[in-house]
Every structure is written in C-alpha cells, then in structure tokens.
Amino acid sequence: MGGTLAETERNEAVVLIHGLWMTGTEMRVLGGRLEEAGFRARYFRYRSWRGGLAEAADALREFVDATEGERVHLVGHSLGGVVIARMLVDAPFARPGRVAMLGSPMNGSAAAGIVSRHRAGRWLVGGVIREGIVERTPKWPGGRDLLVVAGDIPFGSGLLLGLARPHDGVIRVEETRVEGARAVTVRASHVGLLLSRKVAALLAGHFRGG
C-alpha cells in the first residue's frame, strides 16, 4: 500500500541556496514552511562575497549529491539562483527534482552594474556577483521544470539607485525572467520573498508537480 502524501514527500528534499551577504539562516522561515508541507529542508552555505561562482557551483553539486531523497529540489534566492544555473550548465546531474528561483537576476542586474562601476562597489559586491551577474550570467540550460518568482514591492537599495519599476527593491521583475519557465510575481520585497506564505505555497505546489 502507498503511504500518505506527507510520507511520500518526506522522501523528497529541498536544498535552499541563499543570496549575497547571507549565511542560509535567512532561509529558515521558508524552509520551515516547506517542512510543514512535507518536504525535508536542507541548507547550503557558500562564500557569496569573497568566493567565486565556479567554486560555489562545485560545492553545491557535492552538497546535492550527498543529500538523501528520491527527488532533490532546489530553490535559490537572488544570487543563489545563479549558482544553481552555473552548476547545471557545468555538468547536468541525474538526480530528479525541480528548481525554483526567487528574485534571481538571470537577465543580469542593473543594480549590480551600477554599483560595480566604482572600485569600492566592486569590492562591496564581491567576486561571485561580478563573475555570475555583472560579467556574464549563466544561461538556464533547461531540462528541469523551473519556477521563477519575482517581487514588486520596491523596498531596498533600488530606490536610491533609481531602478525602473517594477522591482523588489534590488532586482527588477524583468531581470528574473527565464525563457520556458513559469513566472509569477508576488507582492513582496527582495528579502520578503523568503518570508511570504504565498511564496512557500507556490514552491510546495511546484515541487509536488502541480
């Protein structure tokens, strides 16, 4: 006999990948809600400021390979989505699972470009941003169901930088779009995407296959 929906989903893990200047702790609210929905949350930590994109992608691959579960889903916030894309571009892996990106600048970032014009700004954003967003963003390789979620509450540094709306305070909505992916815009700021119950529900439905 088959198990309950919750028991079935417990065989599925979700790896959460944080963004710039974060440690993964910021993903705990979202991870907790995914746990409540029946998934096992795992938190990947990388050097988002002083490290490099290839280094982060390689470390993520090792983390995913070591994660138990019949299916392993991935959700990246902001820069975390770029790390996922780089990992999949470098070498696809066989583990089944879906991908979600929250406020990830897969079409580049006007804000990062503005800040990186100056030496102090380049130091501030760090190597992963420069390599993975300012210089060249890895293209989505396809092959997995992808959900991209953008926020449109303009609360953040984007107000000071004069970003064109709609944006989430850091990333413009159009910068998150990926060809062939399902795209959703919610009322949330960049950090607020991690705290939104609606976002958590969208991810749970996406990972279930709905």
Side-chain angles (χ1 to χ4, degrees):
M1 295 178 63
T4 65
L5 177 61
E7 289 171 341
T8 300
E9 288 170 347
R10 285 297 177 188
N11 291 320
E12 301 189 20
V14 179
V15 176
L16 297 99
I17 302 100
H18 63 81
L20 180 64
W21 302 320
M22 295 183 175
T23 65
T25 302
E26 304 83 0
M27 309 286 284
R28 295 279 174 171
V29 172
L30 175 59
R33 287 175 177 154
L34 290 172
E35 290 264 6
E36 291 173 359
F39 301 93
R40 291 183 296 107
R42 297 293 182 264
Y43 303 90
F44 172 70
R45 183 172 182 175
Y46 66 102
R47 297 196 302 160
S48 64
W49 180 47
R50 293 291 87 188
L53 180 60
E55 173 189 347
D58 288 345
L60 176 59
R61 178 178 304 283
E62 292 180 5
F63 189 91
V64 171
D65 286 343
T67 299
E68 296 181 354
E70 294 180 3
R71 296 207 300 167
V72 179
H73 309 289
L74 308 174
V75 53
H77 175 242
S78 195
L79 181 60
V82 177
V83 174
I84 293 172
R86 175 59 186 266
M87 179 190 71
L88 295 175
V89 165
D90 285 350
F93 64 96
R95 302 290 295 278
R98 293 186 164 199
V99 179
M101 297 180 180
L102 311 179
S104 294
M106 290 299 295
N107 286 313
S109 167
I114 293 169
V115 173
S116 296
R117 292 173 186 169
H118 309 284
R119 183 176 180 180
R122 290 192 293 273
W123 175 84
L124 183 65
V125 300
V128 184
I129 286 280
R130 290 198 308 272
E131 183 183 348
I133 296 177
V134 177
E135 295 174 1
R136 184 178 62 179
T137 304
K139 297 300 182 183
W140 174 248
R144 292 176 184 267
D145 291 310
L146 174 62
L147 170 69
V148 296
V149 182
D152 63 4
I153 294 182
F155 181 74
S157 58
L159 289 174
L160 300 177
L161 297 174
L163 291 184
R165 299 189 185 191
H167 62 80
D168 64 8
V170 179
I171 302 299
R172 299 183 63 200
V173 169
E174 67 179 30
E175 293 170 343
T176 69
R177 299 311 193 215
V178 176
E179 184 177 357
R182 177 189 174 199
V184 179
T185 301
V186 301
R187 291 293 294 162
S189 65
H190 195 62
V191 174
L193 290 167
L194 300 177
L195 306 176
S196 167
R197 290 186 180 276
K198 181 175 182 178
V199 169
L202 283 169
L203 296 186
H206 175 61
F207 295 143
R208 289 189 188 111

